[in-house]
Amino acid sequence: MERLSQDGEKGQCGWLKDKYGVSWQIVPTVLGKLMGGKDPEKSKRVMQAMLRMQKIDIKALQQAYEQQ
C-alpha cells in the first residue's frame, strides 16, 4: 500500500490512488471469509471495524469477527 500510494493519496478501507490517478483497493483474501460467514452479526462487526480503518488491519477484523 505504501509504494502504490507514493506520490498519490490514501483513502478509507484500503482504497488508494496512485501517482497516475488510478484508484486501487487492497483487499486481504481473509476479508471474504469474515464478511461472507453465516452469522450476519459477525459480518456487521467486521464491516463496522473496517469502516474505521484506512489501511486494513486483518488482526483487528478477526477480533471483531470473534467478539462475543
Side-chain angles (χ1 to χ4, degrees):
M1 182 169 189
E2 297 302 320
R3 291 189 73 188
L4 276 175
S5 64
Q6 186 175 351
D7 298 326
E9 53 189 77
K10 297 176 189 174
Q12 287 279 121
C13 303
W15 281 98
L16 61 95
K17 194 175 286 189
D18 67 17
K19 64 182 176 182
Y20 303 107
V22 177
S23 293
W24 300 78
Q25 185 179 30
I26 308 301
V27 180
T29 55
V30 72
L31 187 60
K33 177 186 173 215
L34 298 175
M35 294 294 297
K38 294 182 180 187
D39 186 338
E41 285 301 314
K42 289 182 177 184
S43 297
K44 182 179 177 181
R45 288 194 306 264
V46 171
M47 177 60 82
Q48 290 172 342
M50 187 178 71
L51 289 174
R52 293 188 301 268
M53 298 176 182
Q54 188 171 37
K55 181 178 178 182
I56 296 176
D57 180 345
I58 295 170
K59 185 176 180 179
L61 293 179
Q62 288 174 325
Q63 288 173 342
Y65 183 84
E66 295 166 0
Q67 178 183 1
Q68 297 296 327

